Amino acid sequence: MGIILYDLCGADRSIRFSPYCWRTRLALAHKGLDFDTAPVTFSEIKAIGGGGVTTTVPVVDYDGRLIRDSWDIAMFLEKERPGAPLFGGEAGVGLTEFVVQWGTTLTRALSPMLVKDIHDRIAPEDRAYFRESREKRAGGASLETLRARREAELPAFRERLRPLRGTLAWRPFIGGKAPVFADYAIFGVFQWARVVSPFPILADDDPVKAWFERCLDLFDGMGRKMPAAAG
Ligand SMILES: N[C@@H](CCC(=O)N[C@@H](CS)C(=O)NCC(=O)O)C(=O)O
């Protein structure tokens, strides 16, 4: 018995890059829980729990109970372990869900800029599936074309971060003096980018970058221990 986080991995199984798995990893740490991670490639996801459980990660095995979806896992943890709140009360749940949904829109906006780099880092047997599904999602553009466009797309992406910049002008974390699940949900987006690609998504003088660096240091440097992608 214990807690296991099924965590998406690259060809190098120590490389963990899923934005949604990072949300969950920090949520588990926030609750002070001891857990192990089990690496899974894209093609291994469907075998979790003996099969038929999920097509996506994260999945958490919590003492034999399998919970999937990073939001459902966070809600489960909050109920199961009410100490060290992730949301800050009932109003906080709705506000957090708003931030989480915004994080997902950021992930979708960043994805075209990163998919070629992800492709090059995942297990060779996953690459054909990954290319086909991501090119289809991008309306047929090749991964190479998507990567070639990213310099031009970066300014508009950075502009999207204005609400976060405004929030962080007044507090070190979205949660105030200390981080909450809303921080972890957005942290996951930038950690994903950091682990899969050397492309600099955040400008060095951006307050979002300073916040991201603070998040990398949380829980004894849990995020920072995962190496950034080399150029
Ligand atoms: N809503 C889900 C989304 C999870 C998700 O999309 N995970 C990706 C990894 S980042 C995945 O498992 N993708 C499988 C695939 O594309 O085949 C959550 O929050 O957990």
Side-chain angles (χ1 to χ4, degrees):
M1 286 301 186
I3 301 174
I4 300 168
L5 165 63
Y6 289 94
D7 195 9
L8 191 63
C9 68
D12 173 343
R13 295 180 79 86
S14 71
I15 297 298
R16 312 297 172 80
F17 58 88
S18 158
Y20 304 101
C21 293
W22 275 102
R23 290 178 181 179
T24 298
R25 192 190 274 232
L26 270 67
L28 289 164
H30 182 105
K31 290 292 184 185
L33 295 166
D34 283 331
F35 61 96
D36 292 317
T37 66
V40 282
T41 60
F42 278 102
S43 43
E44 291 166 352
I45 292 175
K46 55 185 177 304
I48 292 172
V53 172
T54 190
T55 54
T56 61
V57 281
V59 172
V60 165
D61 181 333
Y62 191 95
D63 279 339
R65 276 180 284 176
L66 288 180
I67 305 118
R68 57 176 301 279
D69 192 282
S70 58
W71 176 250
D72 290 350
I73 296 165
M75 295 290 283
F76 170 86
L77 292 175
E78 194 74 338
K79 198 161 165 232
E80 196 72 17
R81 309 284 293 223
L86 282 167
F87 305 123
E90 198 183 331
V93 175
L95 291 170
T96 305
E97 191 159 18
F98 181 86
V99 175
V100 164
Q101 301 270 357
W102 183 66
T104 300
T105 69
L106 292 182
T107 305
R108 293 199 180 128
L110 258 188
S111 180
M113 296 185 233
L114 302 178
V115 275
K116 178 64 169 70
D117 292 341
I118 297 172
H119 171 272
D120 296 348
R121 284 173 168 76
I122 60 178
E125 60 272 23
D126 286 348
R127 288 185 191 158
Y129 154 74
F130 186 81
R131 176 179 285 278
E132 194 192 334
S133 58
R134 272 46 179 186
E135 290 183 346
K136 190 171 169 201
R137 203 181 275 176
S142 72
L143 301 188
E144 289 73 13
T145 301
L146 294 171
R147 179 157 68 182
R149 288 182 192 153
R150 68 186 180 182
E151 293 284 353
E153 286 175 356
L154 188 58
F157 178 80
R158 287 180 174 173
E159 183 56 26
R160 277 173 175 263
L161 303 177
R162 189 185 281 264
L164 181 57
R165 225 166 264 135
T167 301
L168 294 171
W170 303 103
R171 48 189 73 77
F173 295 101
I174 300 171
K177 290 192 190 72
V180 288
F181 191 69
D183 290 277
Y184 310 145
I186 306 302
F187 167 79
V189 179
F190 297 107
Q191 176 73 331
W192 171 54
R194 171 181 172 271
V195 174
V196 297
S197 176
F199 186 58
I201 300 297
L202 295 170
D204 284 339
D205 61 354
D206 190 335
V208 175
K209 172 121 184 196
W211 160 84
F212 179 60
E213 295 288 327
R214 284 194 286 281
C215 290
L216 283 171
D217 288 333
L218 293 170
F219 311 118
D220 200 22
M222 181 175 266
R224 203 179 288 286
K225 283 176 192 158
M226 184 60 55

